[in-house]
Amino acid sequence: MSKMTLEKISWLKQLVVILLLTTYYSLPTVYAQTTVPSAASVAPAAKPAPVAPAYNTVASPNQSVVETNGWKLVRTIKLAKPGAASLDRRGNFYVADEQDNIHQYGPDGQALNTYSPPQPGHTAQIEAWNSAKILVFYDDRQEILLLDRFMTPITSVQLLDFVDGSIRVATLAPDDRLWLFNESDLTLRQFDPTLQRLMLSTPLDLIIGRSKPDFRFLRQYQNNLYLVDRTSGIFVFDNLGNYRKKLPFTGLNSVGFRGDELYYLTNSQVQFFQLYNFTERTMPLPTTTSAAQQVLLGEQYAYLVTPAGVLVYQMTGG
């Protein structure tokens, strides 16, 4: 073997050794980068930075599945003992917590705004369908508060200045007047907050008779007014307060409306009642929501209120 050939082999061996050493010493540097925390982190370099729990928890992949009845869990809102709740025309969701703060969420459950009252009070009802104004009724201090769509106070009405007795339920009409039910004299009244005076009046003592009513909810929808009595059913009035009929749905705390249907929660399913042809249908709830105490249905999303918070579902059917 010639001297030149031996020199080439020796040079190639040296090159291979250099390449191996370079690769060997560069590997720790590459892997070390995965344990280095960000500049804002306080975690040691040897441990991954902790992840702060989110207020709204997006459903995990194994939860985000379409069930047989067409519900898909997309978000869980952790909220201890949620109370009164409502939807507006845009699909935004409103709910009171146990401190009577009012939370506003987008249609898919993303947090938007929060209103914290300056003084304590029990939030008996929220009515947000108007969209431009959100009504909040505090039954313990007999006050109605109106908020704009950014949850900023517009005005408040002290009902005791205008009504003798106790208002049990209240709601906001499309013309911005207020409907009030006075359980002291069993009278349905309309109040104009601009003129600061009572308008229409409908006595219900003859309609109710000798029964012991338990009124829980009041809502105007499509030119009719619906007054929910847990004991005997739903009293229906026209937009002037004239009594029309009673729907025989008992044991309810509230009802909702979607299209031409009235709906309510019963026996772990949603019961629908068509307002004009009087047909009925049911929609079973997801199998994991037996603790649901109220349901609100938007165009694409459903909100199931439980003692631990709100489950936001995307509806793929029904």
Side-chain angles (χ1 to χ4, degrees), residues 134-261:
I134 298 101
L135 174 142
V136 183
F137 173 47
Y138 299 100
D139 59 350
D140 55 350
R141 63 175 188 248
Q142 294 287 283
E143 179 186 358
I144 286 180
L145 173 68
L146 296 178
L147 306 172
D148 66 16
R149 62 191 182 95
F150 301 107
M151 307 296 284
T152 302
I154 300 173
T155 187
S156 64
V157 179
Q158 303 298 325
L159 297 175
L160 294 177
D161 294 339
F162 306 96
V163 179
D164 294 327
S166 177
I167 300 302
R168 180 64 186 271
V169 288
T171 193
L172 182 64
D175 60 2
D176 288 343
R177 293 182 178 181
L178 306 175
W179 284 106
L180 314 171
F181 179 75
N182 189 338
E183 69 174 349
S184 299
D185 60 6
L186 299 178
T187 303
L188 180 66
R189 305 295 300 267
Q190 188 186 71
F191 178 78
D192 189 327
T194 302
L195 301 177
Q196 294 283 292
R197 66 186 180 93
L198 294 167
M199 307 295 287
L200 304 174
S201 177
T202 303
L204 302 185
D205 50 349
L206 295 179
I207 299 173
I208 295 172
R210 296 179 178 271
S211 65
K212 295 182 179 180
D214 182 8
F215 294 103
R216 299 294 186 94
F217 186 80
L218 183 63
R219 172 81 183 277
Q220 182 169 344
Y221 186 77
Q222 291 186 355
N223 293 322
N224 282 328
L225 190 63
Y226 297 84
L227 176 61
V228 176
D229 174 18
R230 184 176 174 83
T231 302
S232 65
I234 304 172
F235 294 86
V236 183
F237 307 84
D238 65 18
N239 59 359
L240 296 178
N242 299 310
Y243 176 70
R244 298 188 61 189
K245 60 185 175 181
K246 185 169 69 172
L247 303 177
F249 306 135
T250 59
L252 304 180
N253 294 320
S254 64
V255 295
F257 298 89
R258 186 169 181 253
D260 291 337
E261 291 180 304

Side-chain angles (χ1 to χ4, degrees), residues 66-87:
V66 177
E67 300 192 14
T68 55
N69 51 13
W71 299 73
K72 179 181 178 182
L73 181 63
V74 296
R75 191 174 302 276
T76 298
I77 301 173
K78 296 181 179 180
L79 200 66
K81 297 179 181 179
S86 184
L87 287 175

